[in-house]
Amino acid sequence: MTWNEFILNEQKQDYYANGIIPFLQREYSQYECYPPKNEIFRGIFSIPSPEDVKVVILGQDPYHEPGQANGMAFSVRTECPNPPSLQNIIKEICNEYGVGIEENPPLFHGDLEYLAKQGVLLLNTTLSVRRGQANSHSECGWQIFTDHIIQYLDMLNKPIVFMLWGKYAQSKSYLITGSNAKVLRTSHPSPFSVNRGFLGCNHFIQCNEFLKANGLKPIDWLGDGNYVS
Protein backbone atom coordinates (compact mmCIF):
# COMPACT_ATOMS: atom_id res chain seq x y z
CA MET A 1 0.00 0.00 0.00
CA THR A 2 1.29 3.47 -0.88
CA TRP A 3 0.93 6.50 1.37
CA ASN A 4 -1.65 7.92 -1.03
CA GLU A 5 -3.69 4.73 -0.82
CA PHE A 6 -3.42 4.69 2.97
CA ILE A 7 -4.53 8.31 3.33
CA LEU A 8 -7.37 7.99 0.81
CA ASN A 9 -8.64 4.94 2.69
CA GLU A 10 -8.59 6.88 5.97
CA GLN A 11 -10.30 9.88 4.42
CA LYS A 12 -13.29 7.69 3.53
CA GLN A 13 -13.84 6.77 7.15
CA ASP A 14 -16.38 8.67 9.23
CA TYR A 15 -13.88 10.03 11.78
CA TYR A 16 -11.94 11.68 8.95
CA ALA A 17 -14.66 12.63 6.46
CA ASN A 18 -17.02 14.05 9.07
CA GLY A 19 -14.47 14.97 11.71
CA ILE A 20 -11.03 16.02 10.55
CA ILE A 21 -11.98 17.54 7.18
CA PRO A 22 -14.72 19.96 8.34
CA PHE A 23 -12.72 20.79 11.47
CA LEU A 24 -9.64 21.78 9.44
CA GLN A 25 -11.73 23.75 6.95
CA ARG A 26 -13.19 25.75 9.80
CA GLU A 27 -9.94 26.22 11.71
CA TYR A 28 -7.78 27.22 8.74
CA SER A 29 -10.42 29.66 7.49
CA GLN A 30 -10.98 31.36 10.86
CA TYR A 31 -7.57 31.19 12.54
CA GLU A 32 -3.88 31.09 11.78
CA CYS A 33 -2.91 27.42 11.92
CA TYR A 34 0.27 25.46 11.36
CA PRO A 35 1.77 23.93 9.38
CA PRO A 36 0.41 25.26 6.08
CA LYS A 37 -2.21 22.88 4.70
CA ASN A 38 0.09 21.74 1.91
CA GLU A 39 2.72 20.65 4.45
CA ILE A 40 0.54 18.67 6.86
CA PHE A 41 1.71 15.37 5.36
CA ARG A 42 5.23 16.51 4.48
CA GLY A 43 6.93 14.12 6.89
CA ILE A 44 4.91 11.20 5.56
CA PHE A 45 5.42 11.94 1.88
CA SER A 46 9.16 12.53 2.36
CA ILE A 47 9.38 8.74 2.68
CA PRO A 48 8.49 6.92 -0.56
CA SER A 49 6.21 4.30 1.01
CA PRO A 50 5.36 2.71 4.38
CA GLU A 51 7.70 -0.14 3.47
CA ASP A 52 10.60 2.32 3.47
CA VAL A 53 10.09 3.43 7.08
CA LYS A 54 12.98 2.33 9.28
CA VAL A 55 12.46 4.55 12.32
CA VAL A 56 9.48 6.30 13.89
CA ILE A 57 10.06 9.25 16.22
CA LEU A 58 6.83 10.32 17.89
CA GLY A 59 6.02 13.90 18.78
CA GLN A 60 2.83 15.36 20.21
CA ASP A 61 1.73 18.25 17.97
CA PRO A 62 3.37 20.89 15.75
CA TYR A 63 5.17 23.96 17.05
CA HIS A 64 2.52 26.63 17.49
CA GLU A 65 4.42 29.87 16.89
CA PRO A 66 4.85 31.56 13.48
CA GLY A 67 7.50 30.27 11.10
CA GLN A 68 8.30 27.07 12.96
CA ALA A 69 6.21 24.03 11.98
CA ASN A 70 7.08 22.34 8.69
CA GLY A 71 5.09 19.11 8.81
CA MET A 72 7.66 16.97 10.66
CA ALA A 73 7.88 16.32 14.38
CA PHE A 74 10.64 18.29 16.15
CA SER A 75 11.72 19.84 12.83
CA VAL A 76 11.60 23.55 11.96
CA ARG A 77 12.04 25.71 8.90
CA THR A 78 15.60 26.55 7.91
CA GLU A 79 15.25 30.24 8.79
CA CYS A 80 13.87 29.47 12.27
CA PRO A 81 16.07 29.23 15.39
CA ASN A 82 16.09 25.72 16.81
CA PRO A 83 13.61 25.31 19.70
CA PRO A 84 14.97 23.91 23.00
CA SER A 85 13.81 20.32 22.43
CA LEU A 86 15.46 20.23 19.02
CA GLN A 87 18.63 21.73 20.47
CA ASN A 88 18.74 18.86 22.95
CA ILE A 89 18.15 16.26 20.24
CA ILE A 90 21.05 17.70 18.26
CA LYS A 91 23.19 17.79 21.40
CA GLU A 92 22.53 14.09 22.06
CA ILE A 93 23.33 13.11 18.46
CA CYS A 94 26.61 15.01 18.60
CA ASN A 95 27.51 13.60 22.01
CA GLU A 96 26.86 10.03 20.87
CA TYR A 97 29.12 10.45 17.86
CA GLY A 98 31.74 12.56 19.61
CA VAL A 99 31.52 15.58 17.34
CA GLY A 100 30.81 19.25 17.83
CA ILE A 101 27.66 20.86 16.46
CA GLU A 102 29.81 23.34 14.58
CA GLU A 103 31.23 20.44 12.57
CA ASN A 104 27.82 19.51 11.15
CA PRO A 105 26.14 22.32 9.20
CA PRO A 106 23.05 20.19 8.36
CA LEU A 107 22.20 20.29 12.06
CA PHE A 108 22.37 24.08 12.27
CA HIS A 109 19.15 24.90 10.49
CA GLY A 110 16.88 22.38 12.19
CA ASP A 111 15.08 21.12 9.08
CA LEU A 112 15.15 17.34 9.60
CA GLU A 113 14.01 16.38 6.13
CA TYR A 114 17.43 14.79 5.58
CA LEU A 115 16.36 12.19 8.16
CA ALA A 116 12.93 11.67 6.61
CA LYS A 117 14.57 10.95 3.27
CA GLN A 118 16.47 8.11 4.94
CA GLY A 119 13.31 6.49 6.29
CA VAL A 120 12.84 8.31 9.61
CA LEU A 121 9.15 9.08 10.10
CA LEU A 122 8.97 12.21 12.26
CA LEU A 123 5.36 11.78 13.30
CA ASN A 124 3.35 14.12 15.48
CA THR A 125 0.29 12.32 16.81
CA THR A 126 -1.69 15.50 16.05
CA LEU A 127 -0.77 16.98 12.68
CA SER A 128 -1.99 20.57 13.02
CA VAL A 129 -2.39 23.30 15.62
CA ARG A 130 -3.86 26.78 16.08
CA ARG A 131 -1.36 29.60 16.57
CA GLY A 132 -0.29 29.97 20.17
CA GLN A 133 -2.50 27.15 21.44
CA ALA A 134 -0.70 23.85 22.00
CA ASN A 135 -2.90 20.75 21.61
CA SER A 136 -5.75 22.85 20.18
CA HIS A 137 -6.35 20.28 17.40
CA SER A 138 -5.80 17.18 19.52
CA GLU A 139 -9.49 16.21 19.70
CA CYS A 140 -10.45 16.50 16.03
CA GLY A 141 -9.53 12.95 15.05
CA TRP A 142 -5.86 13.23 14.19
CA GLN A 143 -4.90 10.77 16.90
CA ILE A 144 -7.09 8.10 15.35
CA PHE A 145 -5.33 8.72 12.03
CA THR A 146 -1.82 8.58 13.46
CA ASP A 147 -2.67 5.56 15.65
CA HIS A 148 -3.67 3.82 12.42
CA ILE A 149 -0.29 4.73 10.89
CA ILE A 150 1.55 3.22 13.85
CA GLN A 151 -0.60 0.09 13.75
CA TYR A 152 -0.16 -0.31 10.00
CA LEU A 153 3.61 0.02 10.20
CA ASP A 154 3.65 -2.47 13.06
CA MET A 155 1.47 -4.86 11.06
CA LEU A 156 4.08 -4.95 8.30
CA ASN A 157 6.19 -6.85 10.86
CA LYS A 158 9.45 -5.58 9.41
CA PRO A 159 12.47 -4.40 11.40
CA ILE A 160 11.57 -0.93 12.61
CA VAL A 161 12.67 1.24 15.53
CA PHE A 162 10.15 3.26 17.53
CA MET A 163 11.64 6.07 19.60
CA LEU A 164 9.22 7.03 22.35
CA TRP A 165 10.40 10.07 24.28
CA GLY A 166 8.36 11.12 27.28
CA LYS A 167 5.20 9.78 28.91
CA TYR A 168 2.89 10.89 26.12
CA ALA A 169 4.82 9.09 23.36
CA GLN A 170 5.23 6.05 25.59
CA SER A 171 1.46 5.90 26.05
CA LYS A 172 1.33 4.74 22.40
CA SER A 173 3.49 1.69 23.05
CA TYR A 174 0.42 -0.57 23.32
CA LEU A 175 -0.03 -0.11 19.56
CA ILE A 176 3.34 -1.75 18.89
CA THR A 177 3.16 -5.54 19.11
CA GLY A 178 5.21 -6.76 16.14
CA SER A 179 8.01 -9.18 16.93
CA ASN A 180 10.43 -7.30 14.65
CA ALA A 181 9.95 -3.90 16.29
CA LYS A 182 12.47 -2.36 18.64
CA VAL A 183 11.04 0.17 21.09
CA LEU A 184 13.38 2.70 22.71
CA ARG A 185 12.00 4.69 25.65
CA THR A 186 13.38 7.62 27.61
CA SER A 187 12.40 11.06 28.85
CA HIS A 188 11.33 13.88 26.54
CA PRO A 189 14.10 16.15 25.17
CA SER A 190 12.41 19.29 26.52
CA PRO A 191 14.42 21.33 29.06
CA PHE A 192 12.04 20.17 31.79
CA SER A 193 12.89 16.48 31.42
CA VAL A 194 16.02 16.18 29.28
CA ASN A 195 18.18 15.30 32.30
CA ARG A 196 15.86 12.48 33.38
CA GLY A 197 17.25 10.08 30.80
CA PHE A 198 17.30 11.65 27.37
CA LEU A 199 20.84 13.00 27.54
CA GLY A 200 23.07 9.95 27.41
CA CYS A 201 20.33 7.60 26.19
CA ASN A 202 22.37 6.50 23.15
CA HIS A 203 19.16 5.94 21.19
CA PHE A 204 20.69 6.95 17.88
CA ILE A 205 23.56 4.47 18.19
CA GLN A 206 21.21 1.76 19.48
CA CYS A 207 18.91 2.37 16.54
CA ASN A 208 21.71 1.96 14.02
CA GLU A 209 23.00 -1.17 15.71
CA PHE A 210 19.53 -2.69 15.37
CA LEU A 211 19.22 -1.67 11.72
CA LYS A 212 22.63 -3.11 10.84
CA ALA A 213 21.87 -6.34 12.71
CA ASN A 214 18.81 -6.70 10.50
CA GLY A 215 20.64 -6.02 7.24
CA LEU A 216 19.43 -2.44 6.83
CA LYS A 217 21.45 0.66 6.08
CA PRO A 218 21.99 2.75 9.21
CA ILE A 219 20.77 6.34 9.51
CA ASP A 220 23.21 9.17 8.91
CA TRP A 221 22.09 11.13 11.96
CA LEU A 222 24.79 13.75 11.48
CA GLY A 223 23.62 14.57 8.00
CA ASP A 224 27.12 15.04 6.66
CA GLY A 225 27.17 12.09 4.27
CA ASN A 226 30.07 10.51 6.13
CA TYR A 227 28.40 7.96 8.36
CA VAL A 228 30.57 6.60 11.14
CA SER A 229 29.42 3.31 12.68
Side-chain angles (χ1 to χ4, degrees):
M1 183 185 297
T2 67
W3 285 123
N4 274 325
E5 290 169 339
F6 179 90
I7 292 172
L8 287 173
N9 182 61
E10 295 296 312
Q11 289 175 335
K12 295 175 184 176
Q13 298 185 39
D14 182 69
Y15 84 90
Y16 203 114
N18 297 312
I20 292 177
I21 290 176
F23 177 86
L24 292 184
Q25 289 172 340
R26 185 168 60 251
E27 283 286 302
Y28 275 79
S29 65
Q30 296 180 8
Y31 304 99
E32 187 172 351
C33 297
Y34 310 121
K37 274 188 175 180
N38 64 346
E39 292 187 350
I40 287 176
F41 298 126
R42 183 184 172 202
I44 294 171
F45 284 128
S46 293
I47 303 174
S49 77
E51 291 281 354
D52 296 303
V53 175
K54 298 177 181 177
V55 184
V56 178
I57 298 179
L58 280 186
Q60 191 160 340
D61 68 337
Y63 297 117
H64 52 78
E65 296 302 330
Q68 293 183 309
N70 67 359
M72 294 180 283
F74 296 107
S75 179
V76 292
R77 299 181 181 282
T78 56
E79 65 274 14
C80 177
N82 293 342
S85 291
L86 180 54
Q87 291 179 30
N88 287 327
I89 291 170
I90 292 170
K91 180 178 180 180
E92 175 61 20
I93 291 173
C94 289
N95 286 346
E96 289 188 25
Y97 289 98
V99 299
I101 295 175
E102 67 280 357
E103 299 171 38
N104 293 278
L107 294 176
F108 284 152
H109 54 62
D111 188 335
L112 303 181
E113 188 175 38
Y114 77 98
L115 294 179
K117 289 183 175 179
Q118 298 179 70
V120 180
L121 179 58
L122 299 155
L123 182 67
N124 281 315
T125 57
T126 297
L127 298 185
S128 59
V129 69
R130 189 189 298 180
R131 176 177 178 169
Q133 298 185 35
N135 293 321
S136 51
H137 289 185
S138 62
E139 301 298 326
C140 76
W142 275 136
Q143 295 195 37
I144 300 173
F145 175 77
T146 53
D147 280 0
H148 288 177
I149 290 178
I150 295 168
Q151 290 174 308
Y152 180 72
L153 292 173
D154 185 62
M155 184 188 69
L156 295 175
N157 204 25
K158 60 186 289 292
I160 186 169
V161 179
F162 290 87
M163 294 187 178
L164 307 182
W165 300 334
K167 291 181 179 179
Y168 178 77
Q170 290 167 27
S171 73
K172 300 292 183 177
S173 61
Y174 76 96
L175 299 169
I176 306 164
T177 60
S179 59
N180 285 317
K182 183 175 183 64
V183 180
L184 299 174
R185 300 176 178 87
T186 190
S187 67
H188 194 275
S190 77
F192 301 104
S193 57
V194 68
N195 290 313
R196 298 175 188 169
F198 184 83
L199 288 182
C201 68
N202 286 321
H203 275 192
F204 304 100
I205 286 178
Q206 289 184 60
C207 171
N208 278 353
E209 288 175 344
F210 174 82
L211 294 177
K212 289 188 291 184
N214 284 277
L216 297 173
K217 185 177 180 180
I219 305 299
D220 174 17
W221 296 107
L222 297 174
D224 60 4
N226 297 305
Y227 171 76
V228 179
S229 61

